[in-house]
Amino acid sequence: MVILPLLGQLADEHGRKPMLLLTISTSIFPFALLAWNQSTEFVYAYYVLRTISYILSQGSIFCIAVAYAADVVDDSKRAAAFSWITGLCSASHVLGNLLARFLPEKYIFPVSIALLIFCPVYMQLFLVETVKLAPKRDQDSSCFTKTINIFHKRFKSMREAATIVISSPTLRGISIVSFFYELGMSGITGVLMYYLKAAFGFEKNQFSEILMMVGIGSIVSQMLVLPVINPLVGEKVILCMGLLASIAYALFDGLAWAAWVPYLSASFKVVVVLVRPATYAIISKASSSTNQGKAQGFIAGVESIASLLSPLVMSPLTSWFISKSAPFNCKGFSLVCASICMVIALCYACLLKPDEASNCVSESGDDIEAPLLGDS
């Protein structure tokens, strides 16, 4: 909730490349530690490092990558670029699952670590910084003064990010859409396997089949379908289509009457995945070039709040309705409730005016930066 907006601000002020290198590099150490030694002590150390890595990298990599893409891609092509980013992420999940299934166990960790190391090395060698950094003016200040200035600057930047989002009707609306969508979808994701196992006796093979089907369909819809339809209908229509599909996804799962219904429901996920790139594109178009990281990071922080709140309701509600003490027979009632959140998100999405650009700019001259490759 705090780290995502903070990293977004730092990406605007200190460059996209350093923040991408930091967030991606943190993923290497937990797995390298576990590959070195799998004793009980090292397993505990792995969980500590993995938690720190998760806090720094979860969501922030996408936010900074999207801000970087916005610096170098024209407005009209951003939705397609973002859909390729999310589509390649879906492809990596599918390929990762295949590697884990077919690679011998002793090679899984070395191959994973090699792939993780490749990412920052590639970025260091080939990624071009897109932000023009402002010169530092407090190099001769005392350590105490620098510390006070850092906290003051971070507070000012956080307030500025909130002002940017709140003062723009588009950004304010998409933040509400993102909150309710994430509130419902993260709740479903957290309890779905538990619910399907209790209701229909699903095992890991069924879950694997569903995940593989969704993964392959997501690659096609994000990398091939969205770039074709976006120039025709725009990001708002795509967002509404994705939210409508998410409602159907939740209702079919929650009201499933046979074991084949979750497979039918999973087919809607192929459209649901379009919500994310459409959201990125709307945020990007409504933000100035100097505030891409702040806007993306702030709204990602809003989504994190929803992800935190959702399990607090969904987990006990699911447990109650699959137990014998349920007030009525509807084991998927919690998923039906989650669909209400998506309905609210859809209502707000229909009111959006995504072509409205934000007029907010940085209030501080010290923090002003501009993309070096913005119009290339």
Side-chain angles (χ1 to χ4, degrees):
M1 293 183 294
V2 177
I3 294 297
L4 285 173
L6 178 61
L7 289 174
Q9 296 162 23
L10 293 174
D12 280 345
E13 297 168 10
H14 300 283
R16 320 287 191 213
K17 185 174 178 177
M19 294 300 105
L20 281 171
L21 286 170
L22 170 66
T23 52
I24 290 179
S25 298
T26 56
S27 302
I28 300 172
F29 301 105
F31 295 103
L33 186 69
L34 202 58
W36 180 29
N37 193 319
Q38 297 181 18
S39 64
T40 304
E41 293 81 5
F42 277 79
V43 170
Y44 284 122
Y46 159 80
Y47 279 115
V48 172
L49 290 178
R50 182 60 179 154
T51 301
I52 297 172
S53 168
Y54 194 83
I55 291 171
L56 290 174
S57 62
Q58 179 66 15
S60 60
I61 295 176
F62 262 109
C63 289
I64 302 169
V66 164
Y68 184 95
D71 292 341
V72 298
V73 178
D74 186 69
D75 282 5
S76 61
K77 299 177 181 177
R78 285 181 186 174
F82 299 156
S83 70
W84 267 76
I85 293 174
T86 54
L88 288 171
C89 183
S90 298
S92 69
H93 280 291
V94 173
L95 292 175
N97 288 331
L98 290 175
L99 283 174
R101 175 168 292 188
F102 294 110
L103 270 179
E105 187 176 346
K106 64 179 180 179
Y107 294 121
I108 291 178
F109 276 119
V111 171
S112 300
I113 294 168
L115 291 172
L116 287 171
I117 292 174
F118 172 79
C119 296
V121 171
Y122 175 86
M123 286 194 299
Q124 180 62 36
L125 294 176
F126 299 107
L127 202 67
V128 179
E129 180 56 74
T130 60
V131 172
K132 183 179 180 181
L133 304 179
K136 297 181 179 180
R137 300 181 181 179
D138 60 345
Q139 295 179 353
D140 298 329
S141 304
S142 65
C143 182
F144 178 76
T145 303
K146 287 182 179 180
T147 303
I148 295 298
N149 288 340
I150 287 172
F151 281 104
H152 176 71
K153 189 176 181 180
R154 292 279 62 82
F155 172 77
K156 188 176 181 181
S157 187
M158 187 75 75
R159 185 178 61 184
E160 181 186 341
T163 302
I164 290 167
V165 174
I166 295 171
S167 62
S168 166
T170 301
L171 293 177
R172 186 170 63 247
I174 197 65
S175 64
I176 296 173
V177 170
S178 298
F179 176 81
F180 282 103
Y181 170 76
E182 190 64 28
L183 189 67
M185 191 55 69
S186 63
I188 293 173
T189 303
V191 303
L192 182 60
M193 292 187 179
Y194 178 46
Y195 155 69
L196 291 178
K197 186 173 182 179
F200 301 108
F202 272 37
E203 298 294 341
K204 62 179 182 179
N205 290 336
Q206 285 90 349
F207 294 138
S208 178
E209 290 169 359
I210 291 175
L211 291 175
M212 189 66 67
M213 182 179 72
V214 170
I216 295 172
S218 298
I219 296 169
V220 175
S221 64
Q222 292 175 107
M223 300 181 71
L224 299 179
V225 176
L226 189 145
V228 173
I229 66 173
N230 182 66
L232 302 176
V233 299
E235 294 86 4
K236 177 180 175 179
V237 173
I238 294 173
L239 175 63
C240 292
M241 287 169 51
L243 291 171
L244 194 60
S246 71
I247 297 168
Y249 169 71
L251 290 176
F252 270 93
D253 270 334
L255 302 175
W257 58 91
W260 59 267
V261 177
Y263 288 91
L264 174 63
S265 173
S267 64
F268 288 103
K269 285 277 284 184
V270 176
V271 183
V272 174
V273 293
L274 301 181
V275 169
R276 193 66 66 189
T279 301
Y280 290 148
I282 291 172
I283 297 170
S284 180
K285 285 187 175 182
S287 309
S288 67
S289 60
T290 58
N291 293 321
Q292 292 289 325
K294 293 184 182 71
Q296 297 283 358
F298 186 89
I299 294 175
V302 171
E303 293 177 348
S304 297
I305 296 173
S307 298
L308 176 68
L309 296 176
S310 185
L312 300 178
V313 177
M314 289 292 289
S315 296
L317 191 62
T318 303
S319 298
W320 184 24
F321 273 86
I322 64 174
S323 68
K324 295 180 180 179
S325 60
F328 52 89
N329 185 23
C330 183
K331 293 184 178 180
F333 181 72
S334 60
L335 279 67
V336 176
C337 292
S339 70
I340 298 173
C341 295
M342 268 83 85
V343 170
I344 297 173
L346 178 61
C347 293
Y348 276 99
C350 292
L351 300 175
L352 286 175
K353 297 178 181 178
D355 292 331
E356 176 188 341
S358 174
N359 294 321
C360 295
V361 295
S362 176
E363 295 176 0
S364 173
D366 296 340
D367 297 340
I368 292 177
E369 49 81 27
L372 301 176
L373 306 178
D375 299 323
S376 62

